Amino acid sequence: MMKRTVFFTALLAVAAFASPAMAYVGPGAGLSVIGALIGVLVAVGAAAVFVVGWPIRRMMRRRKQLAEARSDRPKSSAVR
């Protein structure tokens, strides 16, 4: 409990004495940062979709191959 009180007191002191940064981010730099962030998010999302989708695609291919193999076999009643 003491550590939490010290932490919040220090956080309040830092927040009270903080001054504005007085920094300017131009429109070109801002759009570049936003574009890079969107690109990273899209890449991570695509990777997640492919990792999840790979076993599903593999299962669908295997089912298709098994169905084709079954249809290629002659039926036992047709052979006789």
Side-chain angles (χ1 to χ4, degrees):
M1 186 70 174
M2 181 67 174
K3 288 182 181 182
R4 183 178 284 178
T5 305
V6 170
F7 173 75
F8 284 117
T9 305
L11 184 66
L12 182 64
V14 168
F17 294 114
S19 62
M22 298 294 189
Y24 172 74
V25 176
L31 287 176
S32 296
V33 169
I34 291 171
L37 179 63
I38 290 172
V40 168
L41 292 176
V42 167
V44 169
V49 167
F50 283 117
V51 166
V52 170
W54 182 263
I56 295 170
R57 287 179 55 211
R58 190 171 174 190
M59 180 184 65
M60 290 171 60
R61 281 185 188 166
R62 184 169 290 164
R63 272 191 188 171
K64 185 178 177 182
Q65 288 174 350
L66 286 173
E68 288 175 357
R70 285 184 191 141
S71 66
D72 289 343
R73 285 190 293 174
K75 299 194 184 227
S76 59
S77 62
V79 174
R80 292 183 185 182

